[in-house]
Amino acid sequence: SLRETREISVESSFDMNVTLDRDLTAGDVTNLRLETGEWGMFRLGYRIRDRVEPYIRLGWAHLKAGWTDIESGKNAEITTRSGFAWGLGMKALIYEFANSNIRIVGDGSYRTADLDVEKGYFNGAKNAISKINSRFVIREWQAALLAVADIDFSAMSDCEEALGPYR
């Protein structure tokens, strides 16, 4: 066990994120909004001394966005195909309360996807889109402050052997 010999542990999870109606920014359009967004990402982290955990995310994303074109004034919408997404992040222990299992943790992350456009609409009418010349790149940065508590399930059950090492 890396955790027992070197105070290092490997953490993994699968994160599923669904976004509804988020405002975005871009240089050449106005009123850009993400109408729906779906992200499914496998996360692999490397926790060091229970203090810092850098991690990577690999998975997929599928997005639907709308905006107003500055030159023509037309409303545009696109739907993307599901495509590859990746991200990086870092969690760090900020404060641990004495005589308690509650910790305050900071989490900062970046994720991105470069997706092919599947369908396009101008003013509600479906338009042909050049799938070779069209793409939708999204980049997100996120910062979070979390309160974390461990619950020892073995203390709640007579099955101490089965639940002993899990929290």
Side-chain angles (χ1 to χ4, degrees):
S1 169
L2 287 174
R3 183 173 173 78
E4 290 177 9
T5 60
R6 294 193 178 93
E7 296 276 335
I8 296 171
S9 65
V10 177
E11 303 277 330
S12 66
S13 68
F14 181 78
D15 302 331
M16 183 69 188
N17 179 262
V18 176
T19 305
L20 303 173
D21 200 26
R22 177 188 289 165
D23 291 335
L24 303 174
T25 59
D28 55 351
V29 299
T30 61
N31 301 323
L32 179 60
R33 70 194 176 289
L34 181 64
E35 294 174 9
T36 59
E38 300 164 5
W39 299 76
M41 302 183 87
F42 175 74
R43 184 171 65 99
L44 185 63
Y46 184 73
R47 191 180 313 177
I48 304 166
R49 298 195 182 274
D50 283 338
R51 296 279 176 206
V52 177
E53 181 184 327
Y55 60 85
I56 61 168
R57 289 182 179 159
L58 301 172
W60 58 269
H62 175 83
L63 307 169
K64 180 178 179 184
W67 64 90
T68 303
D69 184 63
I70 291 176
E71 290 181 21
S72 67
K74 292 183 178 181
N75 292 326
E77 284 187 359
I78 61 156
T79 302
T80 68
R81 296 178 187 267
S82 292
F84 179 70
W86 64 274
L88 301 169
M90 172 101 48
K91 290 190 329 186
L93 177 64
I94 295 173
Y95 186 78
E96 188 167 14
F97 290 96
N99 300 323
S100 173
N101 66 347
I102 298 174
R103 297 179 309 276
I104 304 298
V105 176
D107 187 351
S109 65
Y110 167 80
R111 69 180 179 183
T112 185
D114 185 350
L115 305 172
D116 295 328
V117 176
E118 183 175 38
K119 298 176 191 170
Y121 301 87
F122 280 111
N123 287 335
K126 187 174 181 178
N127 280 7
I129 289 191
S130 168
K131 295 181 179 172
I132 295 170
N133 296 325
S134 299
R135 64 182 229 197
F136 188 83
V137 178
I138 186 161
R139 295 179 184 102
E140 292 184 350
W141 291 264
Q142 182 179 38
L145 190 60
L146 309 164
V148 180
D150 290 338
I151 300 171
D152 187 353
F153 290 112
S154 66
M156 298 179 195
S157 169
D158 293 334
C159 305
E160 194 165 323
E161 286 182 22
L163 298 174
Y166 300 103
R167 293 182 178 262

